[in-house]
Amino acid sequence: IRKQAQELEVLRAQQHRPTTTKSAATTGHGHGSVEASEEDVARYLKQPFYQTSFTRVGWLGLFLCSLSATAVIMNTFEHTLEKHIELSYFVPLLAGHGGNTGGQTIGTILSALSSGAIQRKDATRVVLKEAMAGILSGLVLGSIVSPIAYKVLGVSFHVATVLFFTMPLVSTIASTLGSL
């Protein structure tokens, strides 16, 4: 018991001792660590919420416009959707998949940028790599989801085929846009 009490005291002393390691504001997301300066942290915290909001509105507006394109596309294919209503069941799946794919791409690239693993001069290589990764991941997921939709959910072969070809397309577009 005495030995455990001594170990606890050592741990408490280490816990309260000032450290010389990087601050809590460091981040690298698995790609090394980058220390945020106190100036950067202070600038963010001092920036009013409305300024933060206005800096985001442009990108959010662009994303909203791109999502509105879905409604236009669905309207264009209204006749097809009337014949194959089960296609509409997969619109949220495809939209969510595109968002998740793009989000993962953005997170990966920001981590690599913050760690210095990639730089602006690598932009072409990064975009091509992410586009190819999008194609492959879409093919893998499409080849899993389509047979399940056909065999388990009972959708028509035509709808399952459309789903198979759409998954790589959505993945590629999302990965490419996310890498820009």
Side-chain angles (χ1 to χ4, degrees):
I1 293 177
R2 287 184 189 151
K3 186 176 180 180
Q4 288 177 342
Q6 288 173 341
E7 289 176 3
L8 284 173
E9 288 302 317
V10 169
L11 289 172
R12 284 188 189 119
Q14 287 175 350
Q15 184 179 15
H16 295 294
R17 187 178 342 144
T19 61
T20 57
T21 60
K22 298 192 186 267
S23 69
T26 63
T27 181
H29 305 286
H31 295 282
S33 62
V34 176
E35 188 168 356
S37 70
E38 290 180 27
E39 194 175 292
D40 291 337
V41 173
R43 186 180 318 120
Y44 171 77
L45 292 175
K46 288 180 182 176
Q47 183 182 37
F49 71 90
Y50 56 87
Q51 238 179 358
T52 303
S53 176
F54 288 136
T55 59
R56 296 178 185 166
V57 166
W59 284 108
L60 292 172
L62 178 68
F63 294 143
L64 185 62
C65 288
S66 69
L67 288 173
S68 298
T70 304
V72 172
I73 291 168
M74 287 182 70
N75 190 34
T76 304
F77 292 103
E78 183 178 1
H79 183 67
T80 304
L81 285 171
E82 285 176 358
K83 288 183 178 180
H84 302 285
I85 192 70
E86 63 253 352
L87 271 175
S88 63
Y89 301 150
F90 295 100
V91 171
L93 176 131
L94 294 169
H97 173 67
N100 291 338
T101 302
Q104 283 190 346
T105 301
I106 289 169
T108 301
I109 290 174
L110 286 177
S111 293
L113 281 168
S114 70
S115 70
I118 59 172
Q119 298 172 354
R120 283 188 134 204
K121 65 181 180 176
D122 302 317
T124 304
R125 282 181 56 199
V126 169
V127 171
L128 289 173
K129 176 182 178 174
E130 290 298 333
M132 297 304 290
I135 290 171
L136 183 59
S137 64
L139 284 171
V140 169
L141 293 173
S143 64
I144 293 169
V145 171
S146 296
I148 291 173
Y150 178 64
K151 295 285 186 183
V152 177
L153 300 177
V155 300
S156 69
F157 180 76
H158 298 293
V159 171
T161 303
V162 167
L163 191 58
F164 174 78
F165 286 109
T166 305
M167 293 287 286
L169 181 65
V170 168
S171 295
T172 303
I173 291 169
S175 292
T176 303
L177 291 176
S179 65
L180 295 177

